[in-house]
Amino acid sequence: MDLMDAIDVRCSRRKYVKESIEDNKVVHLKNLIEKVNKEGDLNLQLILDDGRAFQSLKKSYGMFSGVENYIGLVGKNDKLLREKIGYYGEKIVLEATRMGLGTCWVGGTFDKDACTCDIKTGESLIGVIAIGNVKKNSSIKEKLISNLIHRKTKTVEQMYESKEEVPAWFKEGMKAVQKAPSAINKQPVKFKFENGIASARVNGDNEYEEIDLGIAKLHFETGAKGGKWQWGNGAEFIK
């Protein structure tokens, strides 16, 4: 499975089976997290066999079960933190999907006080990604929750604006964006193609939109098969 295959099959999973992640997969995840932390100047952390952050019904609203592992999304407080969390967190999500693991982005429906992440001075825990072994097919409850909280997916044309014909690589990038998870389930990232240059921005109406921006940028890069985004809201894509 390559990354585009992972984009196609990835879906949020909220019910996990109580068996530890295989040792070889743990090693791979830790190596990837170490790599993205160095590249993004982050402090993402893999927490294993500790599900206390998801055991409070009041916090999780009963939306999760069996969560024993998660990735703590920790980093230095700066204006790019949430965008980087989205970009690099989704990179880990897609790699986990390739390994056959289930994942789910989690913003507020977990107990922050029960998290055992090492948060240094000047850092914040932005959220977590639940991760672990899942049954092949989603449970009935998972499907019900998904139908309840998810929106109708926007068309590719609704997600960008351009007064000129867009190239094939842009269209492929947008198809990958269409399948990106959205922390607020509204696909708020708006892309633009003008004078041969692609850009992406969000309105910044809430704290999760910049996470969505980072996630969408990673999907676009993957679909476009080459090129690199600049950091920042409204930044350009260098093909």
Side-chain angles (χ1 to χ4, degrees):
M1 183 188 297
D2 62 19
L3 286 180
M4 281 306 302
D5 292 329
I7 285 175
D8 287 337
V9 304
R10 184 217 60 83
C11 64
S12 297
R13 299 300 302 269
R14 295 175 175 83
K15 184 175 182 179
Y16 295 82
V17 298
K18 288 190 178 294
E19 60 182 51
S20 298
I21 300 173
E22 296 91 326
D23 290 345
N24 64 316
K25 294 180 181 180
V26 169
V27 170
H28 189 58
L29 285 170
K30 287 183 175 180
N31 287 339
L32 178 58
I33 289 171
E34 182 180 1
K35 180 180 179 181
V36 301
N37 279 344
K38 184 176 181 180
E39 185 176 329
D41 193 22
L42 296 170
N43 188 19
L44 308 188
Q45 301 166 40
L46 179 62
I47 307 299
L48 298 171
D49 302 318
D50 185 350
R52 286 175 291 177
F54 289 86
Q55 289 171 358
S56 170
L57 185 63
K58 184 178 179 181
K59 295 288 187 179
S60 68
Y61 305 101
M63 295 177 67
F64 294 89
S65 66
V67 179
E68 295 292 335
N69 317 288
Y70 59 89
I71 297 166
L73 304 173
V74 180
K76 297 177 184 176
N77 295 313
D78 62 47
K79 64 180 181 179
L80 294 176
L81 174 58
R82 292 179 181 274
E83 182 183 338
K84 287 182 178 180
I85 288 291
Y87 182 92
Y88 288 109
E90 183 65 5
K91 183 171 286 192
I92 297 169
V93 163
L94 294 180
E95 189 61 29
T97 302
R98 291 180 64 188
M99 290 189 285
L101 296 172
T103 60
C104 186
W105 282 89
V106 188
T109 50
F110 72 102
D111 189 351
K112 276 192 174 184
D113 293 334
C115 287
T116 56
C117 296
D118 178 20
I119 305 173
K120 297 178 174 60
T121 301
E123 292 184 338
S124 292
L125 172 65
I126 300 302
V128 301
I129 297 170
I131 186 169
N133 290 300
V134 294
K135 292 184 178 180
K136 183 176 181 180
N137 297 317
S138 299
S139 68
I140 294 175
K141 185 175 181 179
E142 283 181 297
K143 291 176 181 177
L144 288 172
I145 293 173
S146 180
N147 290 336
L148 178 66
I149 69 174
H150 281 78
R151 71 293 185 246
K152 182 179 179 181
T153 300
K154 293 180 180 179
T155 66
V156 168
E157 290 72 24
Q158 289 175 319
M159 299 179 73
Y160 77 88
E161 59 181 56
S162 179
K163 295 180 180 178
E164 57 194 275
E165 180 68 23
V166 297
W169 60 263
F170 183 89
K171 291 180 180 178
E172 293 303 312
M174 291 306 306
K175 288 178 183 177
V177 170
Q178 188 185 33
K179 299 172 183 176
S182 172
I184 58 171
N185 303 313
K186 290 185 177 179
Q187 295 178 302
V189 186
K190 192 71 175 182
F191 290 77
K192 187 175 183 179
F193 188 81
E194 185 176 33
N195 298 323
I197 297 175
S199 61
R201 71 168 50 253
V202 292
N203 291 330
D205 294 334
N206 64 71
E207 61 184 3
Y208 295 116
E209 286 195 355
E210 290 182 358
I211 297 175
D212 288 347
L213 178 62
I215 293 172
K217 283 184 173 182
L218 189 278
H219 274 240
F220 186 96
E221 273 185 18
T222 305
K225 291 182 171 58
K228 186 71 176 177
W229 283 102
Q230 303 299 297
W231 293 115
N233 194 17
E236 297 178 351
F237 179 73
I238 308 300
K239 181 64 176 175

